Every structure is written in structure tokens, then in C-alpha cells.
């Protein structure tokens, strides 16, 4: 039996209302998105990293940067982020997805790897996360969902649950 495949999907967009373009801004000489990609690549158990951005022309720079970083890009709806995740697994097949946000440059590869390892130890779980009970600072958030669970949620998700990708998994388990 082959090992389940885990895809890290970094959701990224340039259109922040509070700090536009923040994922493109340099932090210690590296764009914020670069730090997130670095953490995802360094995480044990992650088989591939993909950046999921929108088709909005304002996100062309995000797609270009991902390409410069050597990371595949998928582009879809600006507001339906869940559909971008499903597009990512359609183009880069996987059994589970690690959800990371591009505006968290302090993500810890060891923590990402621990979440993946926890799921691999109990693959019957649809969702593993550091966020349900807050014990870590914001910015270290790591969520893993099975592709099957994301597809099931997508069949009925509307509004908020399409924007926040995983909220439908824990809002009504």
C-alpha cells in the first residue's frame, strides 16, 4: 500500500484591505510568501507545495512570485477559496491537504510536520488542526483536511464556508 500523498496549499492574494500586497512585501530580504513556501517545503511529510491565488489581475504578481520560487500555481475565484483548493488537488492529486495562509511568515516546519504525522497515524480522521483549541499564537495555524472531506463540504458550503475553506468541517462536524 502506498503512502498517502499530502499537498500543502498556500492560499495567497495581494488584495488585503489592511495592508495591500503584504504577501509580496520583503521581510528580512525575502517576500512574506517566500517564508511560507520555505516552511511548507521544509515540513516533513509534505509531498508537494502549491500556491492557490485568484484570477484577479491584481494577483498576477503573486502567481509570478510563486513561479520565481519554483512552486506550481493554481488560479481560481477570488472569493471561493474552497474551489481553489479543490482545483489544486485536481491538478496535483493528493489524499490530504495542509492549508496554509501566505501572510504567516513565522510558520514552523516542525509544527506542520507534526500535524501531518498526527494525521498519518490516524488517517481515518478528516481534519487535524492547531486551531480548534488556541494554545499557540496566531500565525502558527496549521490545518490538514482530507480531500474527501473537502469535497463533501464543498457540496453544501455557501458564503463564509467557501471563503474560509475548512470552517464547514468544524462548524457542523
Amino acid at each position: 500500500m502506498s503512502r498517502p500523498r499530502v499537498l500543502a496549499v498556500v492560499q495567497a492574494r495581494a488584495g488585503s484591505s489592511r495592508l495591500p500586497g503584504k504577501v509580496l512585501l520583503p521581510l528580512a530580504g525575502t517576500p512574506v510568501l517566500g517564508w511560507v513556501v520555505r516552511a511548507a517545503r521544509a515540513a516533513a511529510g509534505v509531498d508537494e507545495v502549491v500556491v492557490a491565488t485568484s484570477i484577479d489581475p491584481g494577483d498576477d504578481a503573486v502567481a509570478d512570485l510563486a513561479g520565481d520560487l519554483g512552486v506550481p500555481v493554481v488560479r481560481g475565484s477570488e472569493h471561493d477559496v474552497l474551489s481553489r483548493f479543490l482545483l489544486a488537488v485536481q491538478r496535483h492529486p493528493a489524499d490530504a491537504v495542509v492549508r496554509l495562509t501566505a501572510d504567516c511568515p513565522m510558520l514552523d516546519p516542525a509544527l506542520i510536520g507534526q500535524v501531518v504525522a498526527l494525521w498519518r497515524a490516524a488517517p481515518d480522521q478528516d481534519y487535524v488542526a492547531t486551531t480548534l483549541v488556541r494554545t499557540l499564537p496566531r500565525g502558527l495555524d496549521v490545518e490538514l483536511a482530507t480531500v474527501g472531506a473537502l469535497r463533501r463540504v464543498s457540496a453544501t458550503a455557501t458564503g463564509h464556508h467557501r471563503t474560509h475553506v475548512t470552517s464547514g468541517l468544524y462548524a457542523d462536524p
Side-chain angles (χ1 to χ4, degrees):
M1 186 172 183
S2 65
R3 181 178 95 142
R5 185 168 156 75
V6 175
L7 179 69
V9 177
V10 180
Q11 63 184 70
R13 64 186 185 92
S16 168
S17 59
R18 292 177 299 214
L19 182 58
K22 65 184 168 188
V23 302
L24 303 169
L25 294 176
L27 180 64
T30 298
V32 171
L33 176 59
W35 289 108
V36 176
V37 167
R38 176 207 56 86
R41 280 182 167 152
V46 170
D47 297 298
E48 186 177 9
V49 179
V50 172
V51 169
T53 193
S54 85
I55 57 173
D56 184 271
D59 287 326
D60 290 351
V62 172
D64 291 345
L65 175 57
D68 291 346
L69 295 168
V71 178
V73 178
V74 296
R75 297 186 77 170
S77 169
E78 181 177 7
H79 302 290
D80 187 350
V81 185
L82 177 56
S83 71
R84 282 192 252 154
F85 275 68
L86 294 174
L87 181 60
V89 297
Q90 178 185 352
R91 294 189 182 157
H92 305 270
D95 300 289
V97 172
V98 174
R99 176 182 178 241
L100 303 172
T101 56
D103 59 353
C104 295
M106 302 304 288
L107 280 166
D108 181 358
L111 184 60
I112 298 168
Q114 286 178 337
V115 169
V116 172
L118 282 169
W119 176 73
R120 287 191 191 280
D124 57 322
Q125 300 300 306
D126 283 330
Y127 181 72
V128 179
T130 63
T131 56
L132 291 178
V133 176
R134 284 264 172 217
T135 58
L136 298 169
R138 292 197 182 273
L140 295 177
D141 300 350
V142 180
E143 297 177 284
L144 179 146
T146 64
V147 172
L150 290 176
R151 286 182 177 140
R152 287 190 302 275
V153 164
S154 180
T156 59
T158 60
H160 172 84
H161 296 308
R162 297 211 71 86
T163 302
H164 295 280
V165 183
T166 56
S167 61
L169 293 172
Y170 54 82
D172 186 15

